[in-house]
Amino acid sequence: MTVVRALFLRLDAPFAAWRWLQAGVYRATFPVIPHSAAWGLALNLAGIETRGDVSNVATPIRADAPALDVAVGLERGGDRATLYQQLHGYPVGAEAGKQFKARAYGRKYQIAPARRELLVGQIAIIGIRGACDVVDRIPSGLAGSLDTPRYGLPFAGDNQLLFNAIDVISETTPARWYVPVAAGQRVQESTRLTTNIDRSEASRTQAPLFAPTSPEVCPEAAWVRVGRTAMVHE
């Protein structure tokens, strides 16, 4: 029987942006790292590849990537800020936007401003629970002592937003944990968080409604299964 272990990580991010699939001039962020991103981060630290065929237009998630129970919470929520960015579009067809071309003098002329939300000074806590042969690799990955290469750098939702620190912490560390909202339950604060992502068909992506608790040790209700492959102990 496979031994199941839990590990808790503190994610100290000077800037973070956890975005869902969205369009328009305003790009919002979840208030906390969603379970899907926490799962991907944990497996990345463990040196376990989650990407499928990278030649696809939308890189799929490996069907055999190990499932984990994931909990997400906040030690410090951070401040919500915004910045402006110029988005460059590419004309579709010879006639698209040609009225702007002459005035651009050879520069890109399909430009639209966008406003993007950022979380500033946030400290999140994530719980990872699963087979010990997966979970036990995470501290080694953080220490750089894994015997396998790891893809990329850990980042806080955007590849330009790096963490100050990722530390293993005690399971008794209190936080505001996000737990699922039951049907008919009334809460003062809530948000949807993506749990399982389907990049080939967005309608199959799961994003249940969650509400934060008062600061407490991680409750059992905060654990959510992420990943398609059943854990070995089941």
Side-chain angles (χ1 to χ4, degrees):
M1 183 175 178
T2 301
V3 177
V4 175
R5 187 163 299 169
L7 178 78
F8 290 83
L9 299 175
R10 177 187 281 116
L11 312 179
D12 183 350
F15 302 99
W18 311 105
R19 308 189 196 285
W20 60 94
L21 184 63
Q22 56 191 291
V25 298
Y26 195 92
R27 311 295 173 90
T29 174
F30 292 123
V32 67
I33 179 173
H35 300 78
S36 57
W39 174 79
L41 175 63
L43 291 183
N44 179 270
L45 293 173
I48 298 174
E49 179 64 75
T50 59
R51 300 173 301 162
D53 184 0
V54 296
S55 66
N56 284 5
V57 174
T59 303
I61 295 172
R62 276 178 48 197
D64 62 344
L68 297 168
D69 291 334
V70 177
V72 301
L74 289 174
E75 181 179 299
R76 185 174 71 203
D79 298 317
R80 196 176 292 259
T82 61
L83 56 80
Y84 282 96
Q85 180 185 24
Q86 288 185 336
L87 300 181
H88 300 273
Y90 291 90
V92 178
E95 300 299 314
K98 70 175 185 178
Q99 67 272 27
F100 306 120
K101 187 174 182 178
R103 288 184 289 173
Y105 297 100
R107 298 177 179 86
K108 293 180 180 179
Y109 55 91
Q110 293 283 98
I111 297 175
R115 193 173 180 183
R116 304 177 68 184
E117 283 188 344
L118 292 173
L119 301 170
V120 181
Q122 182 177 98
I123 298 180
I125 296 180
I126 63 174
I128 305 297
R129 187 169 67 186
C132 64
D133 59 348
V134 175
V135 176
D136 287 349
R137 294 172 61 90
I138 295 174
S140 298
L142 285 170
S145 58
L146 277 180
D147 58 358
T148 183
R150 181 168 48 81
Y151 169 74
L153 288 172
F155 55 81
D158 187 298
N159 61 11
Q160 297 183 64
L161 307 179
L162 303 182
F163 292 103
N164 274 342
I166 301 177
D167 298 307
V168 178
I169 60 172
S170 168
E171 63 181 10
T172 61
T173 302
R176 299 185 70 207
W177 295 98
Y178 282 77
V179 299
V181 176
Q185 181 182 1
R186 293 179 178 271
V187 294
Q188 292 184 335
E189 180 183 349
S190 65
T191 182
R192 292 197 178 275
L193 296 172
T194 50
T195 54
N196 284 285
I197 299 290
D198 191 321
R199 293 177 181 151
S200 63
E201 177 50 69
S203 66
R204 292 197 290 262
T205 289
Q206 298 170 1
L209 192 65
F210 290 85
T213 66
S214 299
E216 62 174 313
V217 174
C218 183
E220 185 60 31
W223 294 99
V224 175
R225 176 61 50 84
V226 183
R228 305 297 185 184
T229 305
M231 289 167 59
V232 178
H233 76 287
E234 292 186 330

